[in-house]
């Protein structure tokens, strides 16, 4: 016959009827992205905010900025320990 057996199996594998689990897999991926994308943004921005508060506290001598930076750094350490 003109059609190789491997290409026939590949065509049958792409049949939407054979992929009943595809919608569930896409939903799981969407849930994963929904959770992880904000966490990654927070994980990158939070240390930068702590460093900026520490720098601002040292530059201006404002004890509130240094206190905030110290508290945020403790929260950051707790998040790193739990992850």
């Amino acid at each position: 016959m003109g059609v190789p057996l491997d290409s026939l199996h590949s065509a049958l594998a792409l049949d939407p009827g054979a992929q009943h689990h595809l919608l569930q897999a896409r939903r799981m991926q969407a849930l994963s992205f929904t959770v992880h994308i904000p966490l990654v943004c927070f994980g990158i921005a939070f240390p930068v905010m702590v460093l900026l508060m520490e720098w601002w506290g040292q530059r201006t001598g404002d004890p509130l900025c240094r206190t905030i930076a110290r508290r945020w750094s403790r929260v950051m350490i707790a998040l790193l320990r739990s992850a």
Side-chain angles (χ1 to χ4, degrees):
M1 305 258 178
V3 178
L5 191 58
D6 289 335
S7 63
L8 181 61
H9 285 293
S10 298
L12 290 176
L14 295 175
D15 178 32
Q19 296 181 359
H20 59 278
H21 59 281
L22 186 61
L23 183 60
Q24 183 180 7
R26 287 183 178 168
R27 286 181 180 163
M28 289 172 59
Q29 188 70 39
L31 178 64
S32 176
F33 283 157
T34 303
V35 171
H36 285 97
I37 288 174
L39 286 177
V40 168
C41 295
F42 186 70
I44 291 171
F46 195 53
V48 172
M49 291 184 342
V50 171
L51 287 173
L52 286 175
M53 286 301 281
E54 181 70 30
W55 172 78
W56 189 259
Q58 287 180 358
R59 181 173 180 213
T60 62
D62 187 6
L64 179 62
C65 291
R66 298 202 61 200
T67 303
I68 290 172
R70 192 176 310 118
R71 287 180 184 169
W72 285 354
S73 65
R74 288 178 185 158
V75 169
M76 202 167 41
I77 289 169
L79 287 172
L80 284 172
R81 284 185 185 170
S82 67

